[in-house]
Amino acid sequence: MDKDSVMYQLMDLRVNTVMNSIVETDEDYQEILCKSNEYSGRLDAMGLPKETMQLIDRYVSEQNALGARYGALAYLLGFSDCIEMFRNTLQVPKWEENSSAAG
C-alpha cells in the first residue's frame, strides 16, 4: 500500500492526534507501561556493560518496531475491511454454519 495514500494519511492523523488521549486512560496500556518501567529500572540497576546494554536496547527497539508495524497494518486492514463492508463486497463467513459444525 502506498504510504502517501489517503488511508496512511488518515491513520497518521488519528494515531498522532487521538491515540495519546486514549492510551492515557486505558488501564491495560498503563499496566503494561508500569511493568515496562519496572523492568527498565531493574535492568539499569544491574550495571551491565555498555555493549550489553546497547545490544539489549537494539533488540527491544526492533521488537517495538515489529509490534508498531503489526499494529499499523492491522489498523489499515480493519479500516479497509470497514470500507469493503460498506461497499457490501467483504466476504464474511457465516458463523452460524461454522459454529454448528464444530459443536
Side-chain angles (χ1 to χ4, degrees):
M1 185 172 296
D2 180 16
K3 291 187 179 188
D4 291 328
S5 70
V6 172
M7 282 186 34
Y8 262 91
Q9 291 175 22
L10 179 61
M11 177 182 66
D12 185 54
L13 175 68
R14 295 294 291 166
V15 167
N16 290 319
T17 60
V18 178
M19 196 63 172
N20 288 340
S21 62
I22 292 172
V23 298
E24 286 174 4
T25 59
D26 184 79
E27 290 179 14
D28 291 337
Y29 183 91
Q30 291 301 316
E31 183 179 327
I32 293 166
L33 180 61
C34 285
K35 281 184 179 180
S36 177
N37 289 337
E38 176 189 331
Y39 291 134
S40 176
R42 289 172 59 186
L43 189 59
D44 287 341
M46 293 177 78
L48 296 171
K50 183 178 179 179
E51 182 180 288
T52 302
M53 290 298 288
Q54 285 178 337
L55 179 60
I56 292 169
D57 182 63
R58 288 179 183 145
Y59 171 73
V60 170
S61 294
E62 291 303 316
Q63 289 297 307
N64 285 339
L66 279 174
R69 184 62 185 156
Y70 188 92
L73 293 172
Y75 178 94
L76 291 170
L77 176 62
F79 193 82
S80 65
D81 285 349
C82 288
I83 291 170
E84 291 302 315
M85 271 197 302
F86 285 117
R87 290 182 180 166
N88 293 320
T89 60
L90 179 67
Q91 299 297 315
V92 179
K94 295 181 181 178
W95 296 108
E96 302 82 34
E97 292 175 13
N98 291 339
S99 61
S100 63

